[in-house]
Amino acid sequence: MRRITRIATVGIASAALALSATACGGKKSSDASSSPSESGQKSAAIAYDIGGRGDQSFNDAAYAGLKKAETDLKIKGAEAEPTDGEGEADKVQRLTELARKGNNPVIGVGFAYAPAIKKVAAKFPDTTFAIIDDTSVTGPNIANLVFNEEQGSYLAGVAAAKVSKTGTVGFIGGVEVPLIKKFEAGFTQGVKDTNPNAKVLSQYLTQPPNFEGFAKPDLGKAAAQGQIDAGADVVYAAAGLAGSGAIEAASAKGKWAIGVDSDQYNQAGLAKYKDSILTSVTKDVEDSVFNVIKSVQDGKPTTGEIRYGLDKDGVGLADSNPKYKAMTDVTAAVEKAKADIIAKKIEVKTAP
């Protein structure tokens, strides 16, 4: 039987978050006081990013990797949730607790964990730490799991430009940070390379240090409604849990939405809106998490930068929606763009 150890509980800020967490299949709890070392079972842990498990996107993809490791590698998994308004000290404490309990590796989901991982990894040299979406912190026991998000976003831009009837499409970023600007840059370039006359409306939900733009569906919904009112008939949101609000808004108006990180057409919590999800820009967070766990279990821990791009199917464009699959002119344009990026005929920008 699968066993998950919960370390902390996220404060649920809205009914939407509660519903999405429920749709994810529920969060299984068990006694966090017994450490893996006491039971003799090998273990791995992930510390979630803003929004926590149940976001139907980034965090859920990481959870899928842990779940796969539990099944395939017969390990014990531990999860730790963020808390509202937390600071670096909270992250340090969370990672320290996970490492002290004998979890190896300990994986921080998201660039916000960088300062904390730098501090904690130095104190636990025999534990492998991994961080997703960051290369700023390095060390002999740190693995940096990063992706070419701009490449997948370029393909989304091609698809958006091809299906748009108004010539206006929208991009919504959760928080204006360099990582999310990669999504914007690739998307805008893909749109413009496909239709130079197209208009891209870009908007960020919050500015750092306010990271609620990754956690508040109402913010994404309002932004998408505004872009649709301004003529956009395709909206692409790179905003974590907030992106579900953008998908809801697009569905209500009969417009197309483009998902992010996970194949959101197949996310149970978004089933009500799935027919409006044209496609999703995927990041293989699941396999990146599984692979680093397996490397530790194999006795050959992976460290340093591990990059996932189109050439390794580390990023891509989902084709789960039958309507998208049926658009042969769109899918052909996307496949050509993918081949050209891999062949380096197209260089995708990483900043707008």
Side-chain angles (χ1 to χ4, degrees):
M1 178 181 293
R2 177 172 63 87
R3 183 184 180 199
I4 295 288
T5 302
R6 304 296 288 172
I7 304 299
T9 302
V10 65
I12 299 179
S14 67
L17 175 56
L19 286 171
S20 66
T22 302
C24 192
K27 299 185 179 183
K28 192 170 182 179
S29 302
S30 61
D31 183 5
S33 62
S34 65
S35 68
S37 58
E38 291 172 348
S39 65
Q41 185 178 13
K42 293 183 178 181
S43 64
I46 54 177
Y48 290 117
D49 199 6
I50 298 163
R53 177 148 72 90
D55 66 352
Q56 312 296 325
S57 185
F58 186 50
N59 288 298
D60 281 358
Y63 168 69
L66 180 65
K67 183 178 178 181
K68 180 180 178 182
E70 288 183 298
T71 301
D72 294 359
L73 306 177
K74 310 303 180 186
I75 67 161
K76 178 180 177 181
E79 301 169 78
E81 294 279 8
T83 55
D84 289 341
E86 69 179 25
E88 182 184 327
D90 299 293
K91 291 182 174 63
V92 168
Q93 182 178 2
R94 182 176 306 125
L95 296 176
T96 299
E97 184 178 357
L98 290 171
R100 280 178 177 166
K101 287 183 177 293
N103 296 292
N104 189 17
V106 175
I107 304 169
V109 183
F111 62 85
Y113 277 99
I117 281 185
K118 182 177 181 180
K119 290 182 179 180
V120 181
K123 297 178 182 178
F124 295 88
D126 295 329
T127 299
T128 297
F129 289 81
I131 182 167
I132 302 174
D133 287 345
D134 181 85
T135 58
S136 69
V137 294
T138 58
N141 59 331
I142 297 176
N144 307 89
L145 313 179
V146 290
F147 301 82
N148 293 120
E149 296 91 354
E150 71 282 357
Q151 295 180 348
S153 296
Y154 183 99
L155 302 185
V158 172
K162 293 289 287 184
V163 302
S164 177
K165 296 179 180 178
T166 65
T168 299
V169 301
F171 171 81
I172 297 171
V175 183
E176 192 168 4
V177 293
L179 173 67
I180 306 303
K181 283 182 171 292
K182 290 173 66 181
F183 289 88
E184 179 191 2
F187 180 69
T188 300
Q189 185 180 347
V191 170
K192 292 291 188 178
D193 283 357
T194 306
N195 178 7
N197 296 318
K199 184 177 181 181
V200 181
L201 306 176
S202 294
Q203 180 179 347
Y204 286 88
L205 302 179
T206 61
Q207 298 290 323
N210 180 357
F211 287 89
E212 290 186 344
F214 290 134
K216 304 287 188 181
D218 286 350
L219 295 179
K221 183 177 181 180
Q225 287 173 336
Q227 291 184 342
I228 291 168
D229 289 345
D233 57 355
V234 185
V235 177
Y236 171 39
L241 180 61
S244 63
I247 291 171
E248 179 185 353
S251 177
K253 295 287 188 178
K255 308 301 181 184
W256 286 118
I258 295 177
V260 76
D261 290 340
S262 297
D263 183 354
Q264 296 195 293
Y265 179 86
N266 288 325
Q267 291 294 315
L270 297 171
K272 183 178 180 180
Y273 317 115
K274 65 188 299 181
D275 287 344
S276 296
I277 302 174
L278 176 68
T279 181
S280 297
V281 175
T282 57
K283 292 169 59 172
D284 199 359
V285 174
E286 176 180 344
D287 276 353
S288 74
V289 168
F290 176 83
N291 290 341
V292 76
I293 293 173
K294 187 176 188 302
S295 76
V296 172
Q297 301 310 315
D298 289 345
K300 299 178 181 179
T302 299
T303 57
E305 180 178 311
I306 303 132
R307 181 167 294 278
Y308 295 86
L310 279 179
D311 57 339
K312 298 178 181 177
D313 290 324
V315 296
L317 209 59
D319 63 356
S320 298
N321 190 333
K323 295 178 182 178
Y324 172 74
K325 282 184 179 179
M327 299 175 184
T328 54
D329 59 329
V330 177
T331 56
V334 168
E335 286 303 311
K336 183 180 186 304
K338 177 180 178 179
D340 286 346
I341 292 171
I342 293 173
K344 302 187 184 303
K345 294 179 181 179
I346 296 174
E347 182 176 347
V348 186
K349 299 175 182 177
T350 57

